[in-house]
Amino acid sequence: MNTLTTKTPMEPVHVDVLVEPDKHDDAAYVRAQALAKAGLDDDGNIRVRVVRRSIDARAKMPRFLLRVAVGGTDATPSVFAPKRLGGQRVIVVGAGPGGYFAALTLIEAGLKPVLLERGRDVRARLKDVKKIYSEGLVNPHSNYCFGEGGAGTYSDGKLYTRSKKRGDVDRILDLFVAHGASPDIGVDAHPHLGSNVLPKLVRNMREAIIAAGGEIHFEAHVADLMLDSGQVRGVRLTGGEAVEGEAVILATGHSARDIYGLLLRRGVRVEAKPFALGVRIEHPQELVDRMFYHHSPRHPALPPASYRLACQTAERGVFSFCMCPGGFVVPASTAPGELVLNGMSLASRKAPFANAGLVAQINPADVHGDDPLALLRFQAEVEQIMFRAGDGRTQRAPAQRADDFLQGRISANLGATSYIPGVYGAPLHELLPAFVTRALQEGLAILGKKNKGFDSSEATLLAVESRTSSPVRIPRDSETLMHPQVSGLFPCGEGAGYAGGIVSAAMDGVAVARAVERQFKK
């Protein structure tokens, strides 16, 4: 039994408090519960603040699990602190989270970033994204994957990562807040911005980089590296323009296939890397709430339920990827003649459907030969097969009810879907590679047994989800973070094979920028 004291702890004491949904935003109630847990009497002067918020869905009625700091003082959040820039120029290829956070970090080191983005700024980019829906037209340089902000800008904006050992997650979240994000992202266990919020934050980062003396050039497509005796001297754009710099950070994202080809042509080593491929699985959000909250209807104070699932089949791992509660399935193709799907949610997550990737692991051994781009070509071939299976003109997606997929039969009819370009009934069990179909069928059955309704006729599979990560890695030295063959060339982020989402790509951008700074100080 605690003996209450009024002495305020100099360092914060962290306690966990379970709160019913009706009480989670009742500050006085949470304060009283936290002080009682900490064994402190309330003298009115003790600081109490929620530092982490998650959902405990084990009880019949899900509750909020709050990690509360009692006492101490608030830590000062990190903010962008630019320095006066010197004459050293660092070329940053790609304006996704890896590139933008690298640029911000370079500026804090007094180095001038010259950022080159093949796509367009967020406002112009949105027009190109809309054309995918309205006309089925895919601009190969401006789409869901390419353009300012990178692949995450118009495909959800999740800010959680399991790669916390790679860098300071709080630093990344603080910088997002400094550029306009809600402070809640520093509290939520699974922070999310939403595809309607990220464009504003990206624009604010761009303006901060330019105001500090950095350069950002859109529709600047890198076509070649300028190499001199094993040293990179800059890059050359498609129009022939040379852009010189003392170092080059390659942060081009997981879909910049032309960059891998460029590196091979120039004799710069790349390697095949495992990735995952499968489908988007879509359920009514109400069904997902029932499956994972074990309660229906969902309490209005609770967010829509989400999940992260995985199992091992006879041949390979199967797992969920990029789960979007209250979201939409979207077309994420980066070139004409291919069909690629992804998921997104707006900040409110109020849409009636939930979707996630349901994917199987793909290994280099699954594709014969030692070509480092073999898995990349396999990925592209599957995407082209899915496009040709339709009318060969639009982004309509082949689809199949989950129970029909398990039985190997075409669905007689399809339920409603969030996918705006539309769907049509197709034998996904035949269109997907046979070993992927086997793994997904076995994995779907396993997951359905554990989560009633997951593999039912209410679930719709849409194909193909193929851009889970890059199927290629650009090697780099573990200490210098430079390519082992080319001095001054710094592979970075998802496209280089060292990240898997907005936060991990941003952390890698910070790490690489600091490696550039160390190299310049030698």
Side-chain angles (χ1 to χ4, degrees):
M1 181 175 179
N2 288 331
T3 301
L4 295 180
T5 176
T6 57
K7 185 178 181 181
T8 303
M10 296 297 292
E11 293 296 327
V13 175
H14 291 89
V15 297
D16 290 333
V17 178
L18 275 171
V19 181
E20 300 298 323
D22 288 330
K23 295 283 191 179
H24 84 284
D25 58 355
D26 185 333
Y29 177 82
V30 172
R31 178 182 179 86
Q33 295 297 309
L35 287 169
K37 271 281 190 95
L40 295 170
D41 199 4
D42 192 354
D43 65 357
N45 296 315
I46 302 175
R47 298 183 66 83
V48 174
R49 59 211 178 278
V50 176
V51 296
R52 186 68 65 198
R53 179 172 51 232
S54 59
I55 302 294
D56 182 345
R58 292 172 294 180
K60 184 175 181 181
M61 169 61 77
R63 296 173 292 179
F64 284 88
L65 176 59
L66 307 179
R67 171 64 58 88
V68 185
V70 179
T73 58
D74 287 332
T76 303
S78 300
V79 295
F80 179 47
K83 287 185 179 178
R84 183 184 180 91
L85 303 187
Q88 292 173 304
R89 291 160 49 96
V90 180
I91 298 170
V92 181
V93 185
Y100 264 12
F101 277 80
L104 293 170
T105 306
L106 289 169
I107 288 170
E108 291 182 318
L111 304 174
K112 180 172 182 173
V114 179
L115 203 146
L116 307 174
E117 168 56 50
R118 70 191 297 165
R120 305 169 77 187
D121 66 79
V122 284
R123 179 171 294 180
R125 180 185 176 192
L126 181 57
K127 297 176 183 177
D128 294 320
V129 167
K130 288 181 176 178
K131 284 185 178 181
I132 300 175
Y133 290 101
S134 61
E135 304 174 46
L137 296 178
V138 179
N139 181 330
H141 300 298
S142 181
N143 45 61
Y144 267 105
C145 291
F146 296 146
E148 186 180 21
T153 301
Y154 289 114
S155 56
D156 203 50
K158 295 180 183 68
L159 294 183
Y160 47 93
T161 179
R162 288 177 286 181
S163 304
K164 295 183 179 181
K165 293 183 179 179
R166 297 184 183 181
D168 186 350
V169 174
D170 290 339
R171 166 67 173 160
I172 302 303
L173 299 181
D174 286 345
L175 280 172
F176 271 116
V177 172
H179 289 90
S182 167
D184 282 350
I185 66 174
V187 175
D188 290 328
H190 295 96
H192 168 257
L193 290 171
S195 296
N196 54 329
V197 173
L198 259 170
K200 177 185 176 182
L201 306 184
V202 168
R203 186 171 64 249
N204 290 345
M205 288 185 182
R206 179 217 310 161
E207 292 171 354
I209 291 168
I210 293 172
E215 296 180 18
I216 300 178
H217 303 273
F218 295 108
E219 300 182 74
H221 184 197
V222 171
D224 200 4
L225 297 176
M226 298 165 60
L227 301 176
D228 180 14
S229 301
Q231 170 76 43
V232 67
R233 301 297 183 187
V235 300
R236 198 171 297 278
L237 306 182
T238 50
E241 178 186 354
V243 183
E244 297 182 350
E246 282 84 355
V248 173
I249 296 176
L250 271 185
T252 52
H254 61 41
S255 293
R257 292 168 171 166
D258 57 327
I259 294 297
Y260 305 128
L262 161 62
L263 294 175
L264 276 184
R265 289 195 304 274
R266 298 296 257 129
V268 179
R269 189 170 80 249
V270 300
E271 303 165 348
K273 181 183 76 64
F275 75 114
L277 180 145
V279 297
R280 296 301 295 187
I281 183 168
E282 185 169 56
H283 300 86
Q285 181 63 53
E286 187 275 334
L287 175 59
V288 175
D289 292 341
R290 223 181 321 133
M291 276 191 283
F292 297 99
Y293 280 162
H294 314 293
H295 182 85
S296 184
R298 180 179 82 242
H299 190 286
L302 291 168
S306 62
Y307 59 81
R308 180 183 291 166
L309 302 174
C311 65
Q312 185 66 39
T313 71
E315 294 185 40
R316 65 195 67 238
V318 170
F319 56 94
S320 65
F321 172 81
C322 184
M323 197 274 159
C324 300
F328 306 85
V329 180
V330 297
S333 305
T334 55
E338 66 185 24
L339 181 61
V340 182
L341 304 182
N342 201 346
M344 62 157 278
S345 299
L346 301 179
S348 65
R349 289 180 161 175
K350 288 183 177 179
F353 294 99
N355 73 83
L358 184 67
V359 294
Q361 185 174 338
I362 311 296
N363 300 306
D366 293 319
V367 180
H368 298 297
D370 57 1
D371 180 357
L373 301 187
L375 287 181
L376 186 73
R377 295 193 177 96
F378 168 80
Q379 179 192 57
E381 181 182 354
V382 174
E383 295 166 359
Q384 292 159 10
I385 287 171
M386 294 301 169
F387 181 79
R388 292 195 299 268
D391 56 23
R393 299 189 306 276
T394 70
Q395 291 288 301
R396 289 176 70 233
Q400 195 171 14
R401 291 184 186 268
D403 58 339
D404 291 328
F405 179 75
L406 288 172
Q407 296 299 320
R409 64 190 178 220
I410 297 177
S411 298
N413 56 74
L414 295 170
T417 177
S418 68
Y419 186 66
I420 294 175
V423 297
Y424 63 93
L428 298 187
H429 56 283
E430 296 176 357
L431 292 174
L432 289 166
F435 69 89
V436 174
T437 292
R438 289 195 301 271
L440 293 183
Q441 286 176 332
E442 186 178 344
L444 186 58
I446 293 171
L447 297 175
K449 286 179 181 178
K450 295 179 180 179
N451 307 281
K452 187 176 180 180
F454 191 79
D455 61 345
S456 70
S457 61
E458 291 188 79
T460 301
L461 309 184
L462 300 83
V464 61
E465 164 66 87
S466 53
R467 306 286 177 94
T468 54
S469 64
S470 170
V472 179
R473 176 178 285 111
I474 307 173
R476 68 188 188 191
D477 182 86
S478 61
E479 295 296 326
T480 66
L481 303 190
M482 281 191 296
H483 194 285
Q485 292 175 295
V486 183
S487 180
L489 180 64
F490 292 82
C492 176
E494 281 202 53
Y498 301 99
I502 292 173
V503 171
S504 60
M507 287 194 296
D508 202 54
V510 171
V512 166
R514 288 174 176 165
V516 172
E517 180 187 10
R518 291 194 299 270
Q519 189 68 19
F520 281 3
K521 287 181 177 179
K522 286 184 177 180

